[in-house]
């Protein structure tokens, strides 16, 4: 995404991007991904600090609108040093497809819901968002799904955290290849 201007030879600043994470209810996986991603890009010492505009998460369903993240999401984030994350669940909006550059689905069902939503709305024909599975950035050579940990337990929340961190780093390194890698 970054380049050098021909006239000056000075590297251009990469264009800022915006990212939206989507799951079903917006209290477990998408909030985990948002919290992890924010911790990487919004820290002033991060090489990505000035490269990300908006970061948010939402659900395809409105079951938990206004609720905070699941306690297990918050305790997993906190156990991994992310102690300043705050979020109120919300449902996906048509405007999200125009306001975000990347919309990441946590699983294939979420991805199909996003694609149907986008196809149904005539207003979205000029949408800029690239809709994809977050697990496309697994780094394993294959797409990974982030399983819903809600009914599984603490180990599944830890797995979601690990995937969120790995997918986030891989995404950032692919989008901003000239930026120093994250730890």
């Amino acid at each position: 995404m970054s380049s050098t201007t021909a006239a000056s030879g000075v590297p251009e600043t990469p264009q800022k991007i915006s990212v939206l994470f989507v799951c079903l209810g917006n209290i477990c996986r998408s909030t985990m991904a948002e919290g992890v991603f924010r911790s990487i890009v919004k820290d002033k010492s991060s090489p990505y600090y000035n490269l990300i505009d908006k970061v948010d998460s939402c659900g395809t369903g409105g079951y938990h609108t206004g609720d905070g993240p699941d306690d297990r999401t918050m305790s997993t984030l906190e156990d991994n040093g992310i102690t300043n994350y705050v979020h109120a669940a919300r449902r996906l909006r048509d405007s999200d497809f125009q306001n975000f550059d990347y919309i990441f689905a946590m699983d294939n069902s979420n991805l199909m819901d996003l694609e149907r939503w986008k196809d149904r709305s005539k207003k979205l024909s000029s949408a800029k968002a690239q809709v994809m599975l977050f697990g496309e950035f697994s780094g394993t050579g294959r797409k990974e799904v982030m399983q819903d940990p809600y009914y599984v337990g603490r180990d599944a929340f830890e797995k979601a955290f690990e995937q969120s961190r790995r997918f986030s780093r891989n995404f950032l390194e692919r989008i901003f290849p000239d930026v120093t890698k994250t730890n």
Side-chain angles (χ1 to χ4, degrees):
M1 246 185 150
S2 83
S3 61
T4 303
T5 52
S8 68
V10 176
E12 289 181 9
T13 303
Q15 182 177 350
K16 287 187 176 187
I17 62 167
S18 54
V19 179
L20 180 67
F21 299 96
V22 182
C23 67
L24 179 61
N26 192 216
I27 60 168
C28 295
R29 295 171 292 170
S30 59
T31 52
M32 180 79 73
E34 180 192 0
V36 169
F37 192 83
R38 278 184 181 280
S39 76
I40 294 169
V41 303
K42 295 299 182 181
D43 180 323
K44 289 183 180 175
S45 67
S46 169
Y48 302 104
Y49 178 69
N50 283 319
L51 301 177
I52 308 299
D53 185 19
K54 291 181 289 206
V55 180
D56 198 2
S57 65
C58 66
T60 56
Y63 317 110
H64 300 285
T65 299
D67 294 347
D70 186 284
D71 290 343
R72 296 164 294 178
T73 296
M74 294 304 294
S75 65
T76 302
L77 290 171
E78 289 165 3
D79 289 350
N80 286 281
I82 302 169
T83 58
N84 59 349
Y85 179 66
V86 177
H87 182 77
R90 71 172 182 88
R91 188 169 189 221
L92 181 70
R93 301 182 284 252
D94 284 354
S95 60
D96 289 329
F97 293 92
Q98 288 143 342
N99 294 335
F100 290 91
D101 297 301
Y102 295 91
I103 299 179
F104 290 126
M106 300 298 110
D107 64 29
N108 291 316
S109 178
N110 303 143
L111 183 60
M112 288 188 321
D113 288 344
L114 286 166
E115 290 169 346
R116 273 194 302 270
W117 189 303
K118 189 174 179 181
D119 290 344
R120 255 193 326 257
S121 179
K122 301 291 183 224
K123 296 182 276 186
L124 300 179
S125 60
S126 64
K128 71 175 183 175
Q130 294 183 51
V131 177
M132 61 185 67
L133 190 68
F134 193 30
E136 287 185 34
F137 299 95
S138 70
T140 65
R142 63 178 179 79
K143 296 176 184 178
E144 283 184 35
V145 167
M146 191 180 296
Q147 297 295 335
D148 191 345
Y150 188 79
Y151 295 106
V152 180
R154 180 62 187 216
D155 288 347
F157 282 85
E158 291 292 339
K159 173 76 174 175
F161 178 86
E162 180 277 322
Q163 288 178 308
S164 294
R165 184 174 52 203
R166 181 165 38 96
F167 300 171
S168 293
R169 289 175 176 165
N170 291 336
F171 167 72
L172 290 164
E173 289 170 8
R174 186 172 311 159
I175 297 301
F176 301 110
D178 298 331
V179 174
T180 305
K181 291 186 177 193
T182 58
N183 294 329

